[in-house]
Amino acid sequence: MNDFDKAHEYLRQAEKLYKIKPSAYQKDWAALLYYNAAVLHLRKNDRDKSLNLLLESFKLSSVSWETNVNLGYLFFLRKDYNNAETAFKNALLLKEEHPSDFYNMFGRILYANNNLDLAIETFKKGISFNSTSELQINLAATYLKKGEINRAKAEIMKMQFDDQDIALL
């Protein structure tokens, strides 16, 4: 039995105990149980199972930043941009500081959902924390989608080019 199978078995046993007498456990504990199971399935690329487990976690506790971000990511992959946007907006309210990749993913969701002005604000906010080539490229792409070619060019001109940066290949 490999580590994934062991972890999955332990989570299954914990879920059985929880279902026998849910009142004996804090909702946050049960939510964390489902969240951890979702992460395991996400690592195995079982997105449907992961999404269902994250939804169970969310039902028990909607105040987990990690659950909201992962839900948003999985909704984005399913092209369910409205739910992805809602999940990221929830996550935004749960913490004051976010990593730059959070802003990059949120901006991509807003872009895909054609909420371009908010996508621009989001990419800019991410850049203000940590200017990555992905954020800069996505900001320029958003300006292009809006038809603001000069602004897109200006953003591209601000970029520092690095031959080793995979985003620039």
Side-chain angles (χ1 to χ4, degrees):
M1 184 180 283
N2 64 34
D3 289 342
F4 174 83
D5 293 331
K6 286 179 190 174
H8 195 252
E9 181 56 32
Y10 291 140
L11 288 168
R12 238 191 326 259
Q13 289 174 17
E15 182 183 32
K16 281 182 190 175
L17 291 172
Y18 169 72
K19 286 186 173 184
I20 291 170
K21 191 171 182 184
S23 62
Y25 302 94
Q26 295 177 346
K27 283 188 177 184
D28 288 351
W29 180 86
L32 188 58
L33 170 73
Y34 287 113
Y35 172 80
N36 286 327
V39 170
L40 278 176
H41 284 279
L42 191 55
R43 288 187 180 164
K44 285 288 195 177
N45 212 24
D46 187 352
R47 294 177 182 159
D48 291 337
K49 181 72 172 173
S50 183
L51 179 62
N52 289 331
L53 290 164
L54 285 169
L55 289 169
E56 284 298 316
S57 178
F58 184 83
K59 285 180 199 173
L60 294 166
S61 177
S62 61
V63 296
S64 166
W65 184 85
E66 292 81 2
T67 298
N68 279 282
V69 168
N70 281 292
L71 278 170
Y73 172 70
L74 289 171
F75 283 133
F76 174 77
L77 293 177
R78 291 176 145 224
K79 298 183 181 352
D80 183 350
Y81 304 128
N82 287 330
N83 278 325
E85 185 174 334
T86 298
F88 265 76
K89 283 181 177 177
N90 288 342
L92 196 60
L93 297 172
L94 293 171
K95 279 174 56 172
E96 288 190 27
E97 294 184 21
H98 308 279
S100 61
D101 58 343
F102 170 88
Y103 290 105
N104 190 52
M105 188 74 239
F106 189 25
R108 290 180 60 201
I109 290 165
L110 295 165
Y111 177 95
N113 213 19
N114 214 30
N115 194 343
L116 301 181
D117 291 329
L118 190 52
I120 287 169
E121 284 179 43
T122 302
F123 290 132
K124 284 182 174 181
K125 185 146 188 176
I127 289 168
S128 74
F129 291 115
N130 182 19
S131 186
T132 67
S133 54
E134 291 89 358
L135 283 163
Q136 292 173 304
I137 289 169
N138 286 329
L139 177 58
T142 307
Y143 280 131
L144 284 174
K145 189 172 183 180
K146 283 188 70 172
E148 296 180 17
I149 295 169
N150 289 333
R151 282 187 151 175
K153 284 181 187 177
E155 291 304 321
I156 290 170
M157 296 305 291
K158 290 179 192 176
M159 293 178 66
Q160 296 196 5
F161 291 94
D162 176 0
D163 292 342
Q164 301 303 311
D165 190 342
I166 195 158
L168 302 176
L169 295 179

